Amino acid sequence: RKEVEQDPGPFNVPEGATVAFNCTYSNSASQSFFWYRQDCRKEPKLLMSVYSSGNEDGRFTAQLNRASQYISLLIRDSKLSDSATYLCVVNWNDMRFGAGTRLTVKP
Amino acid sequence: DTGVSQDPRHKITKRGQNVTFRCDPISEHNRLYWYRQTLGQGPEFLTYFQNEAQLEKSRLLSDRFSAERPKGSFSTLEIQRTEQGDSAMYLCASSLVGPTDTQYFGPGTRLTVL
């Protein structure tokens, strides 16, 4: 089992749609969790941290379920500019990245 | 620009040659990380430093790879006797030790080994 697993997609959605990504992790001792966004041939950029109680930043909502060891990211009212690869990141001793979920938002 | 910088941005080399990459972290950050990323995969952890001490090395880091951070500021990653399988994007990130230890990435060095 991979340490961090994501559905690779691709997810192709129309503008305005709501889309959700899930990520599972294997190490129950993981301490912190993040979603990063990576555009084609660019470096990953922090989208948001994921807190135990769940957190929201505008159109983006992140949830953490420690018991089931998964993290989710919900994007509401998707925009063309949301097209990117979304990387799930789990931190224990060092950062472990999922392979990413590719999202394409179409007009 | 006060973000993480990396040099060079692209490197093409022949198999068997040595290459060295440089990373300059965000100035107040005390942790510096190296990752490797290939197409369709997420970044894979290679090693990290806290100040000048190298605290962890991945088993992915063969003995042809060496990293230094001599003064606790910039870091170098050297690959000796490059192989075609070393072709990848090499990413550097830095962070400030704290509750979340959020990492900020540089633009990467794309290595192509012919």
Side-chain angles (χ1 to χ4, degrees), chain A residues 34 36 38 43 46 94-95, chain B residues 35 37 56 100 102-103 106:
Chain A
F34 308 88
Y36 276 73
Q38 188 170 28
E43 73 272 22
L46 178 68
D94 55 70
M95 301 267 272
Chain B
Y35 294 86
Q37 186 175 26
E56 189 170 344
T100 59
T102 304
Q103 295 183 22

Side-chain angles (χ1 to χ4, degrees), chain A residues 55-71:
Chain A
N55 49 299
E56 188 173 305
D57 182 1
R59 299 182 292 109
F60 299 84
T61 301
Q63 297 278 350
L64 168 63
N65 185 319
R66 284 189 182 271
S68 301
Q69 294 180 206
Y70 80 80
I71 308 155

